[in-house]
Amino acid sequence: MSEDARRFAPAVARNKAAITEVLARHLPASGLVLEIASGSGEHALHFAAHFSALRFQPSDPDAAALASIAAWRAEARLANLLAPLTLDVMANAWPLQKADAVICINMIHIAPWAATAALMQGAARILPPNGMLFLYGPFKQGGDYTAPSNAEFDASLRAQDARWGVRDLEAVADLASAAGFAAPVIEAMPANNLSVIFRRLP
């Protein structure tokens, strides 16, 4: 019997319902949604099952993650969940020229700061005017942590890799503005996380 390539991310079980509620208010009625850093693939699977009028394009740079996404997709057999793409957010060109929305969950704090800038620039290249870039994760606001647990999480991230860390929301918004996005809509989420919705300016 072949080995099961599916990965299971405990955080997905905890946050997928709350994220889906926010996305339901902000996603377009139809079109293509690119997910950056899809990881296990469980979010893409959940969203595709919930939003049947949208097509979801998962992506990741990691081979094991891509195998997990493909395995979840094969099991689910959802027509609107596309085969995963190998996508490195830092690449000058992404393997997709257009998308109607871009979502990125729990990535920017476990990547170098340059990856956040690259995400903004890449999303701006492929989104139409008013197209949505959705971020989810922990943030600092006004230079302060939103909860003691986020300060502890930030310290643990930086101990693993000095280039990682909980990002300052204002600094993220500045990068988005420089790439051509409007000021974000911010929604508080469970476990001291935020949903941050940027719209591409005309």
Side-chain angles (χ1 to χ4, degrees):
M1 184 176 178
S2 61
E3 183 179 350
D4 186 355
R6 293 177 304 164
R7 288 179 165 184
F8 297 83
V12 176
R14 296 192 296 268
N15 64 34
K16 65 184 181 182
I19 294 174
T20 298
E21 286 184 19
V22 176
L23 289 177
R25 295 193 290 273
H26 297 283
L27 281 172
S30 61
L32 178 67
V33 181
L34 170 65
E35 184 183 23
I36 301 290
S38 297
S40 68
E42 294 167 280
H43 275 128
L45 174 69
H46 181 78
F47 301 150
H50 193 85
F51 301 107
S52 59
L54 289 162
R55 292 178 297 130
F56 285 84
Q57 176 61 73
S59 72
D60 206 278
D62 179 72
L66 294 168
S68 176
I69 299 163
W72 280 113
R73 177 175 178 264
E75 181 184 66
R77 298 184 180 181
L78 294 170
N80 64 327
L81 181 59
L82 306 180
L85 291 176
T86 302
L87 191 155
D88 180 350
V89 75
M90 298 286 287
N92 291 328
W94 290 359
L96 191 76
Q97 277 68 54
K98 292 182 180 179
D100 298 288
V102 175
I103 59 179
C104 185
I105 297 169
N106 283 332
M107 183 200 85
I108 66 172
H109 57 279
I110 54 170
W113 178 238
T116 302
L119 171 65
M120 300 301 178
Q121 293 157 9
R125 285 196 304 268
I126 69 171
L127 285 172
N130 203 44
M132 180 189 75
L133 170 60
F134 172 88
L135 304 183
Y136 171 91
F139 291 88
K140 291 187 283 186
Q141 290 182 282
D144 294 325
Y145 298 102
T146 58
S149 61
N150 280 356
E152 295 165 7
F153 184 46
D154 188 32
S156 71
L157 289 171
R158 294 178 188 279
Q160 294 176 68
D161 191 319
R163 301 172 301 166
W164 295 2
V166 174
R167 305 305 182 188
D168 188 283
L169 182 55
E170 290 78 10
V172 173
D174 285 346
L175 285 181
S177 176
F181 289 93
V185 172
I186 302 160
E187 297 202 24
M189 303 293 285
N192 303 307
N193 290 301
L194 297 175
S195 284
V196 183
I197 299 99
F198 294 101
R199 294 282 176 182
R200 186 175 173 272
L201 294 168

